[in-house]
Amino acid sequence: MKDIIDPLKIGNKSFSSRLMLGTGKYRTSKDAVKSITTSECEIITVAIRRLPTNINQDNINFLKSLNWNKLWLLPNTAGSQTAEDAIRMAFLGHELACQLGQEDNFFVKLEVISDPKYLLPDPIGTLKAAEFLVKKGFTVLPYINADPMLALHLEDLGCATVMPLGSPIGSGQGLNNLSNLQIIIENANVPVVIDAGIGSPSEATLAMELGADAVLLNTAVAQSKNPEQMAKAMHLGVKAGRLGYLAGRMEKKYYATPSSPLNLISK
Amino acid sequence: MKNAKSFFLNGEKFFTSKTINLLDVITYFNYSSSLLVLEYNNFICSRENWTTIYINDQDRLEIVTIVGGG
């Protein structure tokens, strides 16, 4: 097995891509498949829903046709309003992962949202569900507001990552709470995945430059004018941000320092 | 209808007078080749058990799959 350079470690798995992609809101399933492939992401999130009685749906079939030897399923408990809902969905998600041949996949993106306008995650429900699911052996990736204390609690409970939002889901507002995100990154001993609200490649790059371990985005690609191109841009943006972070940026100064020598100026 | 049983599938009510098992239900709705998980009265029920569990009156089935989202 090839050694991964600068691996992203979540639970007991290692990934080479620090870009996670959601699979919703694409105009066509062709867009979705091309975007996922071009982005070079490995982790993709899906929602869990009832099978409709008329099942010739593009929306469902395209997921089955993806390469599940290369991709890692991250079932989302989206739609859950309470801890109990989310817990049930997590178990369903694992079963679905098994159907795709990923019997060792107990990953769950824990989303407990009862707010229909801003889709803000409920911290109490999230904490309750996280505690239960961690005890049951799940690798829990909780979606939260950028609350540094909540992030610490979830890490203490045994969550595999924390996933603070940049701004509301689907809003494309970018990173609205830089100082809280920085505090979370500073304090965390688990990977920090900035999830929600990223709208452009520079915003993804900024997230990585802050020191985030990964980003998760969906609408930014799915609802762009050219999703496949945007997926490529996001792939490059995340790589640039990560490299820039590891390289260590220059010091910011309030005054200027010349780039050219001050002496031997010919007059 | 003699021996009529009603059961719920994904919240919708269905009736049958036949003796049917979970595999029969899956087949009837053309779900056989779908990626799915079946929950029978709140218990996840794997494929191996579909032929051994028969529908009783008021049973609740949930059949879910993965869809774009997340």
Side-chain angles (χ1 to χ4, degrees), chain A:
Chain A
M1 184 147 108
K2 215 169 62 166
D3 272 342
I4 301 171
I5 300 168
D6 187 30
L8 169 66
K9 293 190 181 158
I10 298 178
N12 57 1
K13 294 247 344 153
S14 287
F15 301 93
S16 58
S17 172
R18 291 172 179 273
L19 171 61
M20 305 182 188
L21 232 46
T23 52
K25 293 197 215 161
Y26 285 90
R27 292 179 204 96
T28 67
S29 58
K30 193 170 167 194
D31 273 351
V33 175
K34 283 195 165 166
S35 299
I36 289 166
T37 312
T38 306
S39 73
E40 295 184 41
C41 71
E42 289 161 290
I43 296 172
I44 67 166
T45 59
V46 298
I48 297 165
R49 291 291 181 268
R50 287 169 163 172
L51 257 181
T53 38
N54 58 328
I55 55 154
N56 279 329
Q57 292 210 352
D58 235 11
N59 186 24
I60 294 169
N61 292 328
F62 86 90
L63 285 171
K64 233 174 108 175
S65 68
L66 295 171
N67 184 352
W68 294 103
N69 291 317
K70 291 215 170 122
L71 293 171
W72 188 250
L73 187 75
L74 178 57
N76 189 337
T77 63
S80 300
Q81 302 194 327
T82 65
E84 292 71 28
D85 291 342
I87 288 166
R88 175 174 164 262
M89 271 220 206
F91 281 93
L92 291 171
H94 167 68
E95 283 305 313
L96 288 161
C98 289
Q99 299 292 316
L100 290 171
Q102 296 181 358
E103 284 90 3
D104 56 337
N105 185 344
F106 284 87
F107 277 47
V108 58
K109 174 176 163 179
L110 179 58
E111 228 184 71
V112 182
I113 294 175
S114 51
D115 158 28
K117 183 171 179 183
Y118 299 100
L119 298 180
L120 293 178
D122 167 20
I124 316 281
T126 303
L127 202 71
K128 275 191 203 162
E131 187 168 30
F132 185 90
L133 289 170
V134 166
K135 286 202 179 116
K136 292 292 180 183
F138 279 85
T139 301
V140 178
L141 287 70
Y143 172 63
I144 57 169
N145 211 327
D147 177 344
M149 294 314 300
L150 177 60
L152 281 177
H153 281 302
L154 287 163
E155 183 182 314
D156 285 342
L157 284 177
C159 288
T161 68
V162 288
M163 310 226 286
L165 61 89
S167 55
I169 294 170
S171 70
Q173 291 175 36
L175 306 184
N176 272 356
N177 37 26
L178 286 175
S179 72
N180 278 4
L181 288 170
Q182 284 171 307
I183 295 169
I184 291 174
I185 290 166
E186 187 187 320
N187 288 335
N189 295 308
V190 291
V192 177
V193 183
I194 294 181
D195 175 15
I198 289 173
S200 69
S202 58
E203 286 158 5
T205 307
L206 175 58
M208 298 308 291
E209 282 183 48
L210 290 177
D213 296 89
V215 301
L216 203 166
L217 52 93
N218 188 161
T219 311
V221 171
Q223 293 284 304
S224 65
K225 297 201 172 61
N226 185 331
E228 193 185 356
Q229 232 170 13
M230 186 57 81
K232 177 88 182 192
M234 288 300 182
H235 163 74
L236 292 170
V238 169
K239 271 207 175 317
R242 178 62 178 174
L243 265 177
Y245 170 74
L246 291 175
R249 63 152 295 147
M250 60 170 276
E251 241 185 83
K252 226 184 248 197
K253 300 179 206 61
Y254 292 101
Y255 50 88
T257 48
S259 304
S260 316
L262 289 170
N263 59 349
L264 298 177
I265 296 171
S266 177
K267 290 199 168 99

Side-chain angles (χ1 to χ4, degrees), chain A residues 22-24 45-53 55 59-60 63-64 76 88 91-92 95-96 99-100 109, chain B residues 9-12 14 29-31 33-37 39 42 44 46-47 62-70:
Chain A
T23 52
T45 59
V46 298
I48 297 165
R49 291 291 181 268
R50 287 169 163 172
L51 257 181
T53 38
I55 55 154
N59 186 24
I60 294 169
L63 285 171
K64 233 174 108 175
N76 189 337
R88 175 174 164 262
F91 281 93
L92 291 171
E95 283 305 313
L96 288 161
Q99 299 292 316
L100 290 171
K109 174 176 163 179
Chain B
L9 169 56
N10 288 346
E12 230 185 298
F14 292 90
F29 288 102
N30 289 318
Y31 290 156
S33 55
S34 299
L35 183 83
L36 62 84
V37 168
E39 218 189 31
N42 288 319
I44 293 174
S46 47
R47 205 169 274 260
E62 285 286 322
I63 300 182
V64 298
T65 187
I66 53 174
V67 302

Side-chain angles (χ1 to χ4, degrees), chain B residues 10 17-18 20-22 26 31 34-40 42 44 46-47 53-57 61 66:
Chain B
N10 288 346
S17 57
K18 298 194 176 146
I20 54 172
N21 59 33
L22 295 180
I26 295 282
Y31 290 156
S34 299
L35 183 83
L36 62 84
V37 168
L38 189 155
E39 218 189 31
Y40 174 73
N42 288 319
I44 293 174
S46 47
R47 205 169 274 260
I53 295 178
Y54 284 80
I55 297 290
N56 295 312
D57 192 42
L61 273 58
I66 53 174

